[in-house]
Amino acid sequence: MKHSLFISDLHLCPERPQATLLFEDFALRTASQAEALYILGDLFDYWAGDDDLTDPHHARVARTLAGLSQSGTAVFVMHGNRDFLIGEGFARAAHVRPLPDPSLIDLYGTPTLLMHGDTLCTGDATYLSFRAKVREPAWQADFLARPLAARKAEIEQLRRQSESDKQQKSMEEMDVHPGTVAAILRAHHYPRLIHGHTHRPARHRHEIDGHDCERWVLDSWYDHGSYLRCDAAGCKAIQLKY
Ligand code: LP5
Ligand code: MN
């Protein structure tokens, strides 16, 4: 049966080789059977710029994706909050198609909205103001003009800051805001929604203006290794073994 797969929050990096090995196995054995693989953000632990393809680990991930695409599976990559600097260089090397956030697709007859999920967390004011800054094209051009090693050092510092800031934030603040979810579902005419980012895998039902909307939250790959499989009959979360 024709089907598509959805994953997010892989956080691949040389320091977690098990997650990368599991991804390679998944690409070869599972995703190669699907029509399409949608990676909904945070494929990498962080992405400092496309010149980071010089890292053998990153080049290996790109080769895995290119192999998958050459085997006949369409691969789509959406930016996450950690790898929004993925650009055309990576897309070319990995043979993947960039996927805007949000993207509304027809998934075997069901309109389905795909997002990373960070923009649904509107209670997290410090994150959103940081996000607004780093998504400015001028800021990005400036940042990318600096040497790779300096960018990586700055990102490491930002990671530490982010981890300590997160200690001060409540679970509610870091989850999706119900009003924002309702507004986005309404704006897109009540689709099914699939997103990641919050690392709180679940299937939610939202009753909006008399419409019953399904919202799937993807699991974080680096923790559990799981994916969502959707076909004309619906979606199902599948857990891989580590
Ligand atoms: O990723 P996760 O789930 O752990 O946390 C996110 C939010 N944190 C981030 C930061 C990333 O994890 C760090 C890696 C990004 C690499 C990007 C590369 C290019 C940018 C380089 C900039 C130097 O996204 C976290 C959310 C959490 O999700 C839940 O939704 O709460 O947000 C934060 O913790 C952000 C802080 O609250 C604010 C940080 C401000 C730091 C400002 C100093 C850095 C100066 C950068 C120049 C603008
Ligand atoms: Mn994320």
Side-chain angles (χ1 to χ4, degrees):
M1 194 172 192
K2 282 187 172 184
H3 63 278
S4 294
L5 306 181
F6 299 82
I7 54 175
S8 72
D9 304 286
L10 291 89
H11 293 198
L12 301 182
C13 57
E15 293 75 23
R16 272 195 294 267
Q18 284 306 108
T20 303
L21 285 171
L22 187 69
F23 176 63
E24 288 171 346
D25 188 63
F26 165 77
L28 210 60
R29 297 211 261 168
T30 309
S32 58
Q33 309 303 308
E35 271 196 300
L37 171 68
Y38 292 87
I39 303 173
L40 299 186
D42 292 351
L43 170 62
F44 291 103
D45 201 36
Y46 66 78
W47 193 253
D50 286 352
D51 49 347
D52 212 359
L53 274 166
T54 47
D55 182 315
H57 168 270
H58 297 352
R60 193 170 139 176
V61 173
R63 274 198 304 277
T64 299
L65 290 169
L68 179 60
S69 153
Q70 277 152 2
S71 79
T73 302
V75 185
F76 298 91
V77 174
M78 183 178 278
H79 282 159
N81 57 296
R82 289 164 170 256
D83 58 8
F84 58 85
L85 290 175
I86 284 179
E88 280 171 16
F90 177 80
R92 255 196 314 277
H95 295 235
V96 298
R97 309 180 204 180
L99 185 69
D101 182 2
S103 282
L104 185 64
I105 62 164
D106 175 354
L107 196 56
Y108 310 107
T110 302
T112 303
L113 189 67
L114 308 177
M115 303 180 77
H116 176 54
D118 55 331
T119 54
L120 297 170
C121 304
T122 49
D124 194 343
T126 49
Y127 169 67
L128 287 179
S129 67
F130 164 75
R131 186 185 194 279
K133 174 116 204 93
V134 298
R135 298 297 178 112
E136 282 171 15
W139 184 90
Q140 292 189 4
D142 243 35
F143 185 71
L144 291 172
R146 303 173 48 202
L148 180 59
R151 273 177 272 148
K152 287 189 160 200
E154 192 160 349
I155 292 171
E156 295 294 349
Q157 196 190 325
L158 170 63
R159 286 284 321 126
R160 285 191 290 274
Q161 176 80 47
S162 172
E163 285 307 313
S164 91
D165 282 13
K166 285 200 297 187
Q167 303 296 318
Q168 310 303 317
K169 297 179 191 178
S170 68
M171 291 301 270
E172 287 72 37
E173 219 179 324
M174 289 190 289
D175 201 356
V176 302
H177 187 279
T180 305
V181 171
I184 197 113
L185 290 173
R186 194 171 282 124
H188 291 87
H189 304 286
Y190 317 103
R192 173 203 276 143
L193 172 59
I194 303 176
H195 70 82
H197 182 66
T198 60
H199 305 192
R200 295 176 213 198
R203 174 180 182 249
H204 300 272
R205 307 301 292 261
H206 296 267
E207 161 93 24
I208 319 271
D209 308 335
H211 297 261
D212 194 14
C213 300
E214 191 181 37
R215 174 169 67 95
W216 285 94
V217 187
L218 302 174
D219 204 352
S220 50
W221 179 277
Y222 71 97
D223 268 343
H224 306 114
S226 77
Y227 62 96
L228 190 70
R229 182 192 192 279
C230 299
D231 59 30
C235 297
K236 193 175 158 200
I238 296 164
Q239 176 93 53
L240 292 166
K241 283 202 187 72
Y242 246 117

